[in-house]
Amino acid sequence: MSDNNPSSGNEPLPGGNTVRDMLRRAAENVPPPAATEGEEAAIRHATFWRNGFSFGDGQLLEYGDPANEQLLVQLNSGIAPTHMLNIKPGQLVELHIAKRLSEDYIPPPKAPSGSGSPAPEEGPQLRRRTWTGRG
């Protein structure tokens, strides 16, 4: 499968057609919905792994779990899950998508008590895409 065209190839994609559609739509670079005056989009991050997906430094959400499949359907419909992205209902959100489908999720290292979280490392294989929607 090509990183530049997530819908190419005949091999099965982790997460199925919903993930394939999301990655394809994110790669289209469609302009985001217009923000109202004074409104700023919340920026969040999602990573799609071989064995599931995660938001920010959060836990792995496995593809086969029906609740997680519902989250993907909502995202694919342009509806941001407010509880998972820590946003307000109706808030504009820009979701930066990292496609790491050839890698399994590895939990981020725990920061020592009293210190901030370490910055996530981005390898050269990381491909960023953007999805925009509302909570």
Side-chain angles (χ1 to χ4, degrees):
M1 175 171 54
S2 166
D3 274 346
N4 296 327
N5 186 359
S7 61
S8 68
N10 294 325
E11 63 280 351
L13 184 70
N17 291 332
T18 303
V19 171
R20 183 181 306 273
D21 290 346
M22 286 182 62
L23 293 173
R24 178 187 48 78
R25 288 175 58 201
E28 290 174 354
N29 294 323
V30 176
T36 59
E37 187 174 326
E39 179 183 36
E40 200 169 309
I43 297 175
R44 300 294 185 265
H45 301 272
T47 303
F48 288 91
W49 308 92
R50 178 180 16 236
N51 55 338
F53 60 102
S54 59
F55 295 110
D57 287 339
Q59 66 185 18
L60 178 71
L61 303 168
E62 295 180 355
Y63 292 124
D65 184 319
N68 298 340
E69 289 176 7
Q70 182 61 35
L71 285 174
L72 291 173
V73 168
Q74 287 178 333
L75 283 170
N76 203 26
S77 300
I79 300 168
T82 57
H83 64 289
M84 296 300 292
L85 297 176
N86 193 25
I87 58 171
K88 298 174 188 166
Q91 183 177 3
L92 186 64
V93 62
E94 184 176 310
L95 186 64
H96 293 236
I97 297 175
K99 182 175 129 183
R100 299 179 80 166
L101 298 172
S102 63
E103 303 172 46
D104 285 333
Y105 170 83
I106 299 173
K110 296 197 185 253
S113 180
S115 69
S117 299
E121 293 183 24
E122 296 183 13
Q125 75 284 0
L126 187 61
R127 305 287 292 184
R128 288 251 180 238
R129 306 284 189 226
T130 302
W131 170 97
T132 307
R134 291 195 181 270

